[in-house]
Amino acid sequence: MLRKLITTAVAASAVGGFALTAPTANAAPPQAGVVHEAAANRAATFDGLTELMIQRIVIGDDVAASKYFSGKPVDDPVREQQILDSVRLSAVQLGIDPDSTAAFFRAQIEASKVVQRGLLAYWAAHPEKAPASGPDLNVIREKLDTLTTQLLAELVRVDHLRQTGLRCDISLVVSTASGEIRHHLDALHRQALRTASATVC
């Protein structure tokens, strides 16, 4: 119910005419306190983390296309364990909890599998809708590795927010609902986002 109410409110604000106006030429520059407040407000949201999670989910489309042509299975235990071992080590170096970090990345992996399985099942049932070619999985993995680094940095930034209980839950619902609207996610990718965000708070 909470998610539904907040999602409705976010959707209304997105289309209800909340316009941003450009500053006029003679407008006074922002005071230092205003800048610091804006930075603090950004740090108090999951908008950046949600954006990166969605980017990773969308790359799942390319992974699915690659595996559609290669015949490789969705599950890749060796690769998955390498990722989890790596982020655990990085978490220790960055000063955040390695267990919660590994759980977060496990959720990202599972979210990608949601997309892959959904698309592969759809293409199997509707081969005329399948992609004409599959991208190189090694190239895709380079993009995923870059996103892993960015996600780790974002986890450091929002680490305090993840420990705030109800505030964390509400902030996450607002950010994910906004992300769904902004990226026009379909049902499959919304399901993947719910999977990806399950361990944030």
Side-chain angles (χ1 to χ4, degrees):
M1 177 60 73
L2 175 62
R3 177 180 176 84
K4 182 177 180 180
L5 288 172
I6 296 177
T7 302
T8 302
V10 171
S13 67
V15 299
F18 289 159
L20 296 176
T21 56
T24 59
N26 58 359
Q31 299 299 311
V34 175
V35 173
H36 291 158
E37 182 179 357
N41 287 339
R42 179 177 177 274
T45 74
F46 288 116
D47 290 353
L49 188 67
T50 297
E51 179 65 26
L52 293 172
M53 288 191 293
I54 292 174
Q55 288 181 29
R56 197 182 193 286
I57 286 167
V58 171
I59 289 178
D61 293 23
D62 290 336
V63 177
S66 177
K67 291 182 177 180
Y68 178 79
F69 283 93
S70 69
K72 291 182 178 179
V74 169
D75 294 289
D76 187 347
V78 174
R79 163 78 175 174
E80 294 167 18
Q81 192 59 51
Q82 289 173 344
I83 293 171
L84 296 178
D85 290 344
S86 175
V87 298
R88 277 183 176 276
L89 179 60
S90 295
V92 172
Q93 295 170 341
L94 292 168
I96 56 178
D97 181 66
D99 290 336
S100 65
T101 301
F104 172 82
F105 278 95
R106 167 57 68 188
Q108 307 318 299
I109 292 170
E110 293 304 318
S112 179
K113 291 181 183 180
V114 168
V115 173
Q116 292 176 53
R117 291 188 178 115
L119 289 177
L120 289 171
Y122 180 75
W123 295 333
H126 305 277
E128 73 281 2
K129 301 289 187 178
S133 62
D136 186 338
L137 190 57
N138 290 324
V139 174
I140 298 171
R141 285 176 172 173
E142 290 178 4
K143 295 179 182 179
L144 291 173
D145 289 343
T146 298
L147 276 173
T148 294
T149 300
Q150 295 172 331
L151 282 163
L152 281 166
E154 198 66 17
L155 286 176
V156 172
R157 189 183 68 79
V158 300
D159 186 57
H160 68 289
L161 183 55
R162 296 181 69 191
Q163 320 302 324
T164 58
L166 181 60
R167 179 185 171 198
C168 178
D169 294 333
I170 294 173
S171 297
L172 182 62
V173 170
V174 171
S175 292
T176 54
S178 298
E180 289 174 1
I181 295 168
R182 185 169 60 253
H183 288 273
H184 307 288
L185 298 185
D186 60 19
L188 176 63
H189 293 81
R190 289 198 303 271
Q191 179 186 351
L193 182 55
R194 287 192 293 273
T195 300
S197 60
T199 62
V200 171
C201 293

